[in-house]
Amino acid sequence: MTTIAPPPTLPELSDILRGALERFTDPVALAGFPDEALLAAVREVEQLGRLVDGARVLVAGEIADRSRPELGSERLSARLGCRTPSEVIERATHVHGQTARARLRLAERLRPTFSLAGAALSEAFPAVRGALCAGTLSIDAATTIVGELSPILDRGTIVDAVTGTDPVRAAEEELVAAAVAGDSADGVRIMAQTWALFLDPDGSLPDDARGLRDRGLTLGRVRNGTVPLRGALLPEVAAQLQRLLDAYLNPKVADGPRFAPEPSGGHVGDANLFVSDPERRTSTQKRHDALAGILSVTAATESVPHLGGAAPTLVVAVTADELEKPQGVAFIQGGPADGSAVSSRIARQIGCSGALQLLRFGEDGRILELGGRQRIFTGHQRRAITVRDGECIILGCHVPAAWCEIHHVDGHARGGGTHTDNGVPLCWFHHRNIEVGGWDIQMRRGVPWVRPPGWIDAQRRWRPAGRSGLRSWMALREAADRADPDDPSG
């Protein structure tokens, strides 16, 4: 009679795994790895992790099997004082409930089934199970394959009338082979969706009626200076938004430059005096700023539907004296942030491209003066400024001017006019931070010049801004004609 050896104890397993990973967990040893050895280490550690992941899933499946409802009070979860197999795993491993449930869902599809007589039936996904246990298939790919093909199996077995084979099994084997061969999890997902659509078009197509019913967008209440955004977009709406974000976040877009030392004989018009600084915003922050820019530009278009007889323009209430203070206080009007206090610099920024209502109060709180709607740049003016400057005028930032807000160089509240000689394109991020970023902007004969903050250029030299062909020519001519490079009058 064959005796089954007891499984290794936890300390024994830990020693085995620690020995396998010892050369990868020493920072000093890792620092000495050549590039090729480091890449090999990444692959080897990943395979070890996949072996552990496979064991995690199968162990979770065994816990679920011993916690079957039909076992009544003898089920494992009940004997341990837990309500569900997921709770057993959570308490035993201290993982998040979502992680435990994901393992159980996958394990349910990978465990073999048995007839009432106890005979083993065919497995639903033998190729996935084998590759997962061998450490050649990632959890991500396994979950994707099982998730896309399971609904087809649930609707009944499909047999090819000509060959007599099961096309779902063929799809599984091909998807596993592709994942093992090196296709990314995203690539496997697309292949699996294609297979599902081919095998069962009616069941795999998105439910249009359900999508229309479940679509939505919700703005929460202000919390810690931000408003939570929740929603469910239809696929075509999400795709359009992604395209807009991709256009705004093109790799050539950068925020903030750093200036290299001035070459011998160079002058301020030299393009090689600056290069882009490494991106300092996170990817989520950049997507937020891109959406802000999209909304701002959309609200300024002439074709946008009107609200209350006028373009939907953001209004910020602020007293005249607070508007002039660097750290003044203003209040947003409307939407989920209604009545929220914001910095007066935000009011000054919004005043360039939206509506700004100045309210002057008396000591008793009475409204003494109600200002009119702030003027904004017209579509004709925006197009002219866009052609002239080409992109955000902050050196090193390449957001196209069409995506930018138009900024009053001399503030409208301080008497600056709304005309092309006083407007420049700034992306949402730089417009929002123009007052605190240390950048100076100046118009010379109707074209913009910029001066960076001292931490970028200790000499704080003025430089022509803009990247359109016409603007570049004008900047070079301006640089050549100037007698004094620091003379603001030109």
Side-chain angles (χ1 to χ4, degrees):
M1 180 177 180
T2 303
T3 301
I4 300 177
T9 63
L10 181 59
E12 290 173 338
L13 283 173
S14 297
D15 288 341
I16 294 171
L17 186 58
R18 190 175 293 111
L21 295 175
E22 185 175 2
R23 58 199 172 105
F24 303 133
T25 55
D26 181 358
V28 176
L30 276 177
F33 275 28
D35 290 348
E36 292 184 1
L38 184 61
L39 291 176
V42 168
R43 290 189 286 268
E44 188 170 339
V45 171
E46 178 65 21
Q47 185 167 0
L48 287 173
R50 290 179 179 182
L51 287 169
V52 173
D53 284 341
R56 283 171 170 163
V57 170
L58 296 181
V59 169
E62 184 62 29
I63 290 175
D65 186 63
R66 298 185 187 189
S67 301
R68 301 190 312 275
E70 57 266 29
L71 296 178
S73 60
E74 293 302 312
R75 65 187 187 277
L76 178 61
S77 55
R79 288 187 280 116
L80 294 175
C82 298
R83 294 168 297 174
T84 62
S86 175
E87 187 178 346
V88 174
I89 297 173
E90 290 175 55
R91 291 188 178 185
T93 63
H94 308 292
V95 299
H96 194 279
Q98 184 177 359
T99 301
R101 290 188 292 274
R103 293 177 186 173
L104 288 168
R105 284 194 299 271
L106 183 57
E108 181 183 4
R109 289 293 182 173
L110 299 185
R111 285 181 57 80
T113 56
F114 298 89
S115 67
L116 294 177
L121 303 176
S122 60
E123 297 182 41
F125 295 99
V128 172
R129 185 179 187 276
L132 191 65
C133 293
T136 57
L137 186 69
S138 69
I139 284 287
D140 292 338
T143 302
T144 295
I145 296 170
V146 170
E148 293 293 340
L149 298 183
S150 288
I152 302 175
L153 289 179
D154 293 342
R155 282 188 284 275
T157 303
I158 302 174
V159 177
D160 189 290
V162 177
T163 64
T165 59
D166 182 357
V168 177
R169 183 73 66 242
E172 178 205 4
E173 293 173 354
E174 182 172 323
L175 290 169
V176 169
V180 171
D183 274 19
S184 67
D186 286 338
V188 172
R189 175 181 55 82
I190 294 173
M191 291 176 61
Q193 291 174 345
T194 303
W195 264 106
L197 185 62
F198 172 74
L199 295 173
D200 188 15
D202 293 336
S204 299
L205 283 174
D207 187 341
D208 290 343
R210 182 175 180 178
L212 288 171
R213 184 180 68 248
D214 294 344
R215 77 192 191 282
L217 189 65
T218 303
L219 294 175
R221 295 184 177 275
V222 179
R223 186 182 308 148
N224 298 324
T226 61
V227 176
L229 176 67
R230 301 183 303 276
L233 304 180
L234 293 173
E236 65 272 20
V237 177
Q240 182 64 69
L241 177 59
Q242 186 64 59
R243 293 291 289 174
L244 289 170
L245 293 176
D246 289 345
Y248 200 100
L249 299 175
N250 187 287
K252 67 176 288 195
V253 173
D255 81 310
R258 56 184 172 83
F259 288 84
E262 184 173 1
S264 176
H267 57 78
V268 296
D270 286 344
N272 62 358
L273 288 182
F274 61 90
V275 292
S276 295
D277 201 19
E279 178 62 71
R280 293 186 295 276
R281 289 176 288 169
T282 65
S283 58
T284 55
Q285 289 171 336
K286 288 190 289 184
R287 283 194 291 271
H288 169 277
D289 296 352
L291 180 59
I294 292 168
L295 294 176
S296 177
V297 171
T298 301
T301 59
E302 299 171 351
S303 59
V304 71
H306 282 194
L307 182 65
T313 310
L314 182 61
V315 178
V316 176
V318 60
T319 60
D321 58 337
E322 289 291 326
L323 183 65
E324 297 301 321
K325 294 179 181 178
Q327 300 299 324
V329 178
F331 297 89
I332 294 177
Q333 305 299 307
D338 190 33
S340 298
V342 295
S343 168
S344 60
R345 68 183 177 85
I346 296 177
R348 289 188 289 273
Q349 174 213 357
I350 292 172
C352 291
S353 55
L356 179 60
Q357 188 175 43
L358 298 180
L359 303 179
R360 186 167 63 87
F361 295 94
E363 293 182 357
D364 58 356
R366 179 186 178 189
I367 298 176
L368 301 179
E369 180 182 351
L370 176 62
R373 183 178 182 274
Q374 181 88 356
R375 290 183 59 195
I376 62 175
F377 289 91
T378 68
H380 293 299
Q381 290 171 324
R382 282 187 57 88
R383 284 188 288 272
I385 293 171
T386 297
V387 171
R388 182 192 67 198
D389 297 331
E391 60 189 22
C392 175
I393 66 165
I394 297 301
L395 302 178
C397 180
H398 302 291
V399 172
W403 291 94
C404 292
E405 298 175 350
I406 305 300
H407 169 68
H408 286 82
V409 177
D410 293 325
H412 189 276
R414 296 187 293 272
T418 304
H419 50 74
T420 55
D421 280 357
N422 193 39
V424 294
L426 289 176
C427 71
W428 183 90
F429 175 75
H430 285 119
H431 197 187
R432 176 71 177 268
N433 294 280
I434 191 63
E435 293 188 11
V436 296
W439 290 86
D440 292 328
I441 305 173
Q442 182 180 94
M443 300 300 292
R444 301 183 180 182
R445 296 204 293 269
V447 292
W449 285 66
V450 296
R451 182 168 63 178
W455 65 270
I456 292 179
D457 181 10
Q459 299 181 37
R460 301 210 65 200
R461 293 162 292 181
W462 286 96
R463 289 171 171 81
R467 292 296 178 275
S468 68
L470 174 63
R471 183 65 197 95
S472 297
W473 175 80
M474 293 177 70
L476 290 173
R477 187 187 67 177
E478 181 77 15
D481 290 348
R482 283 184 309 120
D484 183 359
D486 289 324
D487 180 9
S489 66

